[in-house]
Amino acid sequence: MKVNRYLFARRALFIVAAPACAALSGCMSSSPIWDAHFGEAVKTVTQAQVIDPDAGARNPSKPGIDGKAANSAMGQYQKSFDSPPTTFTPLVIGVGNGGGSGGGGGGSQ
């Protein structure tokens, strides 16, 4: 009995609410509000990421790296990827060398 009453109330609410929502949707237009603020979030986030917006207009307070040093540094950086240095771990010396230096694997009685 409770289930029937619940379903009836739910159907009645839908029957009343659906035409009311349809009628009110014709009166409201949210597009002009959205269009007026279009792009504000992107502009705000972009401005928040800029630390000093006038940095390019003035000279830096500290001298930077010269061109020859920068070119050499970039060349060394690129060479490091061509032939990376080989590394070894000194903690595993003698492991897996195939030698039979007898570690005592148990005995027979």
Side-chain angles (χ1 to χ4, degrees), residues 53-76:
D54 297 327
R58 6 176 245 280
N59 291 332
S61 59
K62 296 180 182 177
I65 190 169
D66 64 333
K68 288 182 181 179
N71 192 14
S72 175
M74 286 303 297
Q76 293 296 326

Side-chain angles (χ1 to χ4, degrees), residues 13-102:
L13 179 65
F14 179 74
I15 290 171
V16 171
C21 289
L24 290 175
S25 67
C27 299
M28 186 177 115
S29 175
S30 60
S31 181
I33 296 170
W34 291 342
D35 292 343
H37 300 289
F38 184 77
E40 285 183 6
V42 175
K43 290 176 189 172
T44 303
V45 170
T46 304
Q47 289 173 354
Q49 294 176 1
V50 176
I51 294 173
D52 187 6
D54 297 327
R58 6 176 245 280
N59 291 332
S61 59
K62 296 180 182 177
I65 190 169
D66 64 333
K68 288 182 181 179
N71 192 14
S72 175
M74 286 303 297
Q76 293 296 326
Y77 178 72
Q78 290 296 329
K79 285 181 188 176
S80 71
F81 290 106
D82 292 339
S83 59
T86 57
T87 59
F88 67 94
T89 307
L91 299 176
V92 293
I93 293 175
V95 175
N97 60 2
S101 62

